[in-house]
Amino acid sequence: MRKDEMLSLLNNVVEKRPYRAEDAATAIPSAVLVIIHYHGGSPYVFMTKRGADLKAHKSEISFPGGRFSKDDASLLETALRETEEEVGIAFLPGDVLGSLQPVRTMTSNHFIVPFVTVQDMLPQVRVSAAEVAEVLDVPLMETLATREPDAEHFHLSKNAYRFACRGNVIWGATARILEQLHKALIRPS
């Protein structure tokens, strides 16, 4: 999929608001940055495998991001700050297309706003070993094509899906974010 096609489809689904911590209500406000970029004309998505020593969501596949800090003016700032801390890539608010619909974690009460950026190329990363065990830079369309019902987690949500990339299972909130991309890019209305 060409970048202009990608942008056109995503512009139909993203919101242009920064989101505030108060939008999370009683949940823990959090944000991630979905980084779509191009290699040889094909879209890739940048993901991380969380460190095994982290308190929550150990070794899970996720997008760069994390919890809101009182020093963040908005959840967009949270996504940008956390991305720079985790993988050393500094984006500006103007680099962000908008956000997909917020998702909630099934088990830890996080309200996650997924912001989206589409770049021609990805700059060199500088991974924080304290938070990130591995970087997964995967072909977006191929990863979206692995979508299947997540029967293992139906007890938490009847609309659970999972995806696969490089031998890893992507489930939970990250899969619900990928499901939004699947709807926007694979099955646009």
Side-chain angles (χ1 to χ4, degrees):
M1 175 176 292
R2 292 186 338 257
K3 184 179 176 186
D4 60 333
E5 294 173 287
M6 172 83 57
L7 290 170
S8 176
L9 291 170
L10 288 174
N11 274 319
N12 290 328
V13 297
V14 297
E15 294 183 2
K16 306 284 187 186
R17 61 179 273 209
Y19 280 98
R20 306 267 176 241
E22 302 80 43
D23 294 325
T26 59
I28 300 164
S30 306
V32 298
L33 188 60
V34 178
I35 304 169
I36 299 170
H37 62 99
Y38 281 77
H39 287 297
S42 297
Y44 280 68
V45 66
F46 184 84
M47 304 180 86
T48 63
K49 185 170 189 173
R50 294 175 52 84
D53 297 332
L54 296 175
K55 290 180 186 175
H57 306 287
K58 311 172 186 215
S59 302
E60 291 182 9
I61 305 303
S62 64
F63 296 104
R67 286 184 182 192
F68 175 81
S69 165
K70 63 180 174 29
D71 295 330
D72 297 333
S74 68
L75 287 171
L76 173 56
E77 273 193 28
T78 301
L80 298 176
R81 175 185 53 76
E82 285 281 346
T83 297
E84 187 169 6
E85 287 174 10
E86 289 180 14
V87 296
I89 304 173
F91 289 103
L92 299 172
D95 295 327
V96 176
L97 190 61
S99 67
L100 299 170
Q101 292 299 307
V103 299
R104 290 185 185 264
T105 57
M106 293 185 216
T107 57
S108 62
N109 195 34
H110 281 78
F111 172 89
I112 303 169
V113 179
F115 292 94
V116 180
T117 184
V118 179
Q119 301 291 313
D120 289 323
M121 59 192 316
L122 190 64
Q124 185 67 34
V125 299
R126 202 176 56 253
V127 175
S128 167
E131 296 187 63
V132 176
E134 182 181 350
V135 167
L136 302 170
D137 195 26
V138 297
L140 176 60
M141 304 311 279
E142 290 172 26
T143 301
L144 294 178
T146 67
R147 175 187 176 265
E148 64 182 24
D150 185 359
E152 181 181 345
H153 295 102
F154 276 170
H155 66 286
L156 297 171
S157 172
K158 298 298 179 211
N159 294 327
Y161 292 95
R162 61 192 228 165
F163 296 82
C165 72
R166 297 196 182 142
N168 295 288
V169 174
I170 304 168
W171 67 285
T174 303
R176 287 194 305 285
I177 294 167
L178 286 175
E179 172 64 11
Q180 290 184 61
L181 290 175
H182 186 274
K183 285 180 182 174
L185 303 175
I186 305 287
R187 298 179 294 143
S189 46

